[in-house]
PDB file of all heavy atoms in Angstrom:
ATOM      1  N   LEU R 228      45.290  51.442 -47.449  1.00  0.00           N
ATOM      2  CA  LEU R 228      44.104  50.814 -48.066  1.00  0.00           C
ATOM      3  C   LEU R 228      44.577  49.925 -49.258  1.00  0.00           C
ATOM      4  O   LEU R 228      44.500  50.359 -50.484  1.00  0.00           O
ATOM      5  CB  LEU R 228      43.135  51.954 -48.563  1.00  0.00           C
ATOM      6  CG  LEU R 228      42.740  52.903 -47.485  1.00  0.00           C
ATOM      7  CD1 LEU R 228      41.671  53.907 -47.903  1.00  0.00           C
ATOM      8  CD2 LEU R 228      42.166  52.109 -46.204  1.00  0.00           C
ATOM      9  N   THR R 229      45.113  48.795 -48.916  1.00  0.00           N
ATOM     10  CA  THR R 229      45.644  47.879 -49.897  1.00  0.00           C
ATOM     11  C   THR R 229      44.500  47.047 -50.605  1.00  0.00           C
ATOM     12  O   THR R 229      44.627  46.560 -51.746  1.00  0.00           O
ATOM     13  CB  THR R 229      46.669  46.945 -49.305  1.00  0.00           C
ATOM     14  OG1 THR R 229      46.156  46.482 -48.081  1.00  0.00           O
ATOM     15  CG2 THR R 229      47.987  47.562 -49.084  1.00  0.00           C
ATOM     16  N   ASP R 230      43.372  46.786 -49.874  1.00  0.00           N
ATOM     17  CA  ASP R 230      42.263  45.932 -50.416  1.00  0.00           C
ATOM     18  C   ASP R 230      42.790  44.661 -50.898  1.00  0.00           C
ATOM     19  O   ASP R 230      42.320  44.244 -51.996  1.00  0.00           O
ATOM     20  CB  ASP R 230      41.530  46.709 -51.429  1.00  0.00           C
ATOM     21  CG  ASP R 230      40.753  47.962 -50.849  1.00  0.00           C
ATOM     22  OD1 ASP R 230      40.346  47.884 -49.758  1.00  0.00           O
ATOM     23  OD2 ASP R 230      40.606  48.918 -51.615  1.00  0.00           O
ATOM     24  N   HIS R 231      43.783  44.012 -50.361  1.00  0.00           N
ATOM     25  CA  HIS R 231      44.464  42.930 -50.989  1.00  0.00           C
ATOM     26  C   HIS R 231      43.727  41.559 -50.698  1.00  0.00           C
ATOM     27  O   HIS R 231      44.157  40.591 -51.309  1.00  0.00           O
ATOM     28  CB  HIS R 231      45.911  42.783 -50.490  1.00  0.00           C
ATOM     29  CG  HIS R 231      45.951  42.622 -49.026  1.00  0.00           C
ATOM     30  ND1 HIS R 231      45.746  43.671 -48.063  1.00  0.00           N
ATOM     31  CD2 HIS R 231      46.117  41.492 -48.270  1.00  0.00           C
ATOM     32  CE1 HIS R 231      45.838  43.189 -46.854  1.00  0.00           C
ATOM     33  NE2 HIS R 231      46.008  41.887 -46.974  1.00  0.00           N
ATOM     34  N   GLY R 232      42.708  41.587 -49.925  1.00  0.00           N
ATOM     35  CA  GLY R 232      41.999  40.322 -49.739  1.00  0.00           C
ATOM     36  C   GLY R 232      40.653  40.590 -48.948  1.00  0.00           C
ATOM     37  O   GLY R 232      40.375  41.754 -48.665  1.00  0.00           O
ATOM     38  N   VAL R 233      40.019  39.491 -48.580  1.00  0.00           N
ATOM     39  CA  VAL R 233      38.705  39.723 -47.891  1.00  0.00           C
ATOM     40  C   VAL R 233      38.643  38.905 -46.597  1.00  0.00           C
ATOM     41  O   VAL R 233      39.383  37.999 -46.328  1.00  0.00           O
ATOM     42  CB  VAL R 233      37.499  39.142 -48.756  1.00  0.00           C
ATOM     43  CG1 VAL R 233      37.310  40.006 -49.956  1.00  0.00           C
ATOM     44  CG2 VAL R 233      37.721  37.689 -49.123  1.00  0.00           C
ATOM     45  N   ILE R 234      37.856  39.470 -45.768  1.00  0.00           N
ATOM     46  CA  ILE R 234      37.377  38.653 -44.554  1.00  0.00           C
ATOM     47  C   ILE R 234      35.936  38.296 -44.830  1.00  0.00           C
ATOM     48  O   ILE R 234      35.045  39.125 -44.987  1.00  0.00           O
ATOM     49  CB  ILE R 234      37.424  39.471 -43.203  1.00  0.00           C
ATOM     50  CG1 ILE R 234      38.806  39.851 -42.801  1.00  0.00           C
ATOM     51  CG2 ILE R 234      36.694  38.643 -42.142  1.00  0.00           C
ATOM     52  CD1 ILE R 234      39.610  38.702 -42.103  1.00  0.00           C
ATOM     53  N   GLU R 235      35.770  36.955 -44.993  1.00  0.00           N
ATOM     54  CA  GLU R 235      34.522  36.446 -45.388  1.00  0.00           C
ATOM     55  C   GLU R 235      34.118  35.290 -44.247  1.00  0.00           C
ATOM     56  O   GLU R 235      35.085  34.710 -43.769  1.00  0.00           O
ATOM     57  CB  GLU R 235      34.518  35.707 -46.681  1.00  0.00           C
ATOM     58  CG  GLU R 235      33.176  35.083 -47.163  1.00  0.00           C
ATOM     59  CD  GLU R 235      32.144  36.180 -47.566  1.00  0.00           C
ATOM     60  OE1 GLU R 235      32.500  37.351 -47.567  1.00  0.00           O
ATOM     61  OE2 GLU R 235      31.080  35.724 -47.859  1.00  0.00           O
ATOM     62  N   TYR R 236      32.881  35.184 -43.879  1.00  0.00           N
ATOM     63  CA  TYR R 236      32.570  34.284 -42.841  1.00  0.00           C
ATOM     64  C   TYR R 236      31.715  33.162 -43.354  1.00  0.00           C
ATOM     65  O   TYR R 236      30.903  33.281 -44.287  1.00  0.00           O
ATOM     66  CB  TYR R 236      31.665  34.981 -41.753  1.00  0.00           C
ATOM     67  CG  TYR R 236      32.415  36.158 -41.099  1.00  0.00           C
ATOM     68  CD1 TYR R 236      31.980  37.458 -41.285  1.00  0.00           C
ATOM     69  CD2 TYR R 236      33.597  35.959 -40.473  1.00  0.00           C
ATOM     70  CE1 TYR R 236      32.589  38.559 -40.718  1.00  0.00           C
ATOM     71  CE2 TYR R 236      34.338  37.101 -39.886  1.00  0.00           C
ATOM     72  CZ  TYR R 236      33.749  38.431 -40.006  1.00  0.00           C
ATOM     73  OH  TYR R 236      34.457  39.438 -39.513  1.00  0.00           O
ATOM     74  N   ALA R 237      31.988  31.959 -42.692  1.00  0.00           N
ATOM     75  CA  ALA R 237      31.069  30.778 -43.049  1.00  0.00           C
ATOM     76  C   ALA R 237      30.290  30.622 -41.728  1.00  0.00           C
ATOM     77  O   ALA R 237      30.784  30.392 -40.732  1.00  0.00           O
ATOM     78  CB  ALA R 237      31.898  29.584 -43.255  1.00  0.00           C
ATOM     79  N   VAL R 238      28.954  30.752 -41.881  1.00  0.00           N
ATOM     80  CA  VAL R 238      28.073  30.541 -40.740  1.00  0.00           C
ATOM     81  C   VAL R 238      27.796  29.049 -40.628  1.00  0.00           C
ATOM     82  O   VAL R 238      27.374  28.412 -41.666  1.00  0.00           O
ATOM     83  CB  VAL R 238      26.705  31.307 -40.785  1.00  0.00           C
ATOM     84  CG1 VAL R 238      25.973  31.167 -39.485  1.00  0.00           C
ATOM     85  CG2 VAL R 238      26.862  32.733 -41.122  1.00  0.00           C
ATOM     86  N   ILE R 239      28.217  28.457 -39.511  1.00  0.00           N
ATOM     87  CA  ILE R 239      28.232  26.879 -39.472  1.00  0.00           C
ATOM     88  C   ILE R 239      27.482  26.391 -38.186  1.00  0.00           C
ATOM     89  O   ILE R 239      27.333  27.147 -37.140  1.00  0.00           O
ATOM     90  CB  ILE R 239      29.660  26.340 -39.552  1.00  0.00           C
ATOM     91  CG1 ILE R 239      30.518  26.928 -38.427  1.00  0.00           C
ATOM     92  CG2 ILE R 239      30.226  26.592 -40.941  1.00  0.00           C
ATOM     93  CD1 ILE R 239      31.983  26.388 -38.408  1.00  0.00           C
ATOM     94  N   ALA R 240      26.981  25.226 -38.204  1.00  0.00           N
ATOM     95  CA  ALA R 240      26.314  24.664 -37.072  1.00  0.00           C
ATOM     96  C   ALA R 240      26.861  23.271 -36.783  1.00  0.00           C
ATOM     97  O   ALA R 240      27.378  22.567 -37.782  1.00  0.00           O
ATOM     98  CB  ALA R 240      24.775  24.504 -37.387  1.00  0.00           C
ATOM     99  N   ASN R 241      26.687  22.733 -35.629  1.00  0.00           N
ATOM    100  CA  ASN R 241      27.027  21.352 -35.304  1.00  0.00           C
ATOM    101  C   ASN R 241      26.017  20.418 -36.082  1.00  0.00           C
ATOM    102  O   ASN R 241      24.811  20.687 -35.939  1.00  0.00           O
ATOM    103  CB  ASN R 241      26.840  21.201 -33.771  1.00  0.00           C
ATOM    104  CG  ASN R 241      27.134  19.677 -33.377  1.00  0.00           C
ATOM    105  OD1 ASN R 241      26.241  18.965 -33.699  1.00  0.00           O
ATOM    106  ND2 ASN R 241      28.111  19.435 -32.578  1.00  0.00           N
ATOM    107  N   LYS R 242      26.528  19.627 -36.882  1.00  0.00           N
ATOM    108  CA  LYS R 242      25.642  18.845 -37.859  1.00  0.00           C
ATOM    109  C   LYS R 242      24.607  17.990 -37.146  1.00  0.00           C
ATOM    110  O   LYS R 242      23.467  17.910 -37.484  1.00  0.00           O
ATOM    111  CB  LYS R 242      26.477  18.073 -38.730  1.00  0.00           C
ATOM    112  CG  LYS R 242      25.767  17.283 -39.879  1.00  0.00           C
ATOM    113  CD  LYS R 242      26.716  16.588 -40.831  1.00  0.00           C
ATOM    114  CE  LYS R 242      26.056  16.026 -42.040  1.00  0.00           C
ATOM    115  NZ  LYS R 242      24.801  15.328 -41.809  1.00  0.00           N
ATOM    116  N   LYS R 243      25.104  17.273 -36.044  1.00  0.00           N
ATOM    117  CA  LYS R 243      24.144  16.438 -35.363  1.00  0.00           C
ATOM    118  C   LYS R 243      22.961  17.232 -34.694  1.00  0.00           C
ATOM    119  O   LYS R 243      21.839  16.761 -34.844  1.00  0.00           O
ATOM    120  CB  LYS R 243      24.981  15.667 -34.251  1.00  0.00           C
ATOM    121  CG  LYS R 243      24.352  14.464 -33.861  1.00  0.00           C
ATOM    122  CD  LYS R 243      25.334  13.609 -33.033  1.00  0.00           C
ATOM    123  CE  LYS R 243      24.619  12.648 -32.087  1.00  0.00           C
ATOM    124  NZ  LYS R 243      25.285  12.425 -30.843  1.00  0.00           N
ATOM    125  N   PHE R 244      23.401  18.338 -34.210  1.00  0.00           N
ATOM    126  CA  PHE R 244      22.394  19.267 -33.560  1.00  0.00           C
ATOM    127  C   PHE R 244      21.361  19.720 -34.708  1.00  0.00           C
ATOM    128  O   PHE R 244      20.176  19.579 -34.520  1.00  0.00           O
ATOM    129  CB  PHE R 244      23.011  20.481 -32.941  1.00  0.00           C
ATOM    130  CG  PHE R 244      22.045  21.549 -32.470  1.00  0.00           C
ATOM    131  CD1 PHE R 244      21.290  21.439 -31.345  1.00  0.00           C
ATOM    132  CD2 PHE R 244      21.902  22.562 -33.308  1.00  0.00           C
ATOM    133  CE1 PHE R 244      20.373  22.335 -31.059  1.00  0.00           C
ATOM    134  CE2 PHE R 244      20.975  23.659 -33.009  1.00  0.00           C
ATOM    135  CZ  PHE R 244      20.228  23.545 -31.803  1.00  0.00           C
ATOM    136  N   TRP R 245      21.880  20.177 -35.813  1.00  0.00           N
ATOM    137  CA  TRP R 245      21.136  20.662 -36.840  1.00  0.00           C
ATOM    138  C   TRP R 245      20.138  19.708 -37.388  1.00  0.00           C
ATOM    139  O   TRP R 245      19.018  19.850 -37.705  1.00  0.00           O
ATOM    140  CB  TRP R 245      22.007  21.415 -37.900  1.00  0.00           C
ATOM    141  CG  TRP R 245      21.286  22.380 -38.774  1.00  0.00           C
ATOM    142  CD1 TRP R 245      20.810  22.070 -40.123  1.00  0.00           C
ATOM    143  CD2 TRP R 245      20.858  23.707 -38.593  1.00  0.00           C
ATOM    144  NE1 TRP R 245      20.218  23.128 -40.654  1.00  0.00           N
ATOM    145  CE2 TRP R 245      20.202  24.091 -39.615  1.00  0.00           C
ATOM    146  CE3 TRP R 245      20.975  24.498 -37.398  1.00  0.00           C
ATOM    147  CZ2 TRP R 245      19.636  25.395 -39.802  1.00  0.00           C
ATOM    148  CZ3 TRP R 245      20.377  25.734 -37.461  1.00  0.00           C
ATOM    149  CH2 TRP R 245      19.812  26.155 -38.600  1.00  0.00           C
ATOM    150  N   ASP R 246      20.784  18.477 -37.690  1.00  0.00           N
ATOM    151  CA  ASP R 246      19.908  17.382 -38.347  1.00  0.00           C
ATOM    152  C   ASP R 246      18.844  16.900 -37.370  1.00  0.00           C
ATOM    153  O   ASP R 246      17.818  16.337 -37.761  1.00  0.00           O
ATOM    154  CB  ASP R 246      20.900  16.198 -38.777  1.00  0.00           C
ATOM    155  CG  ASP R 246      21.742  16.573 -39.922  1.00  0.00           C
ATOM    156  OD1 ASP R 246      21.559  17.659 -40.560  1.00  0.00           O
ATOM    157  OD2 ASP R 246      22.643  15.835 -40.250  1.00  0.00           O
TER     158      ASP R 246
END
Side-chain angles (χ1 to χ4, degrees):
L228 306 183
T229 43
D230 292 329
H231 61 281
V233 291
I234 293 281
E235 181 70 6
Y236 302 117
V238 188
I239 54 178
N241 175 294
K242 187 172 183 322
K243 203 166 156 211
F244 168 79
W245 196 257
D246 291 347

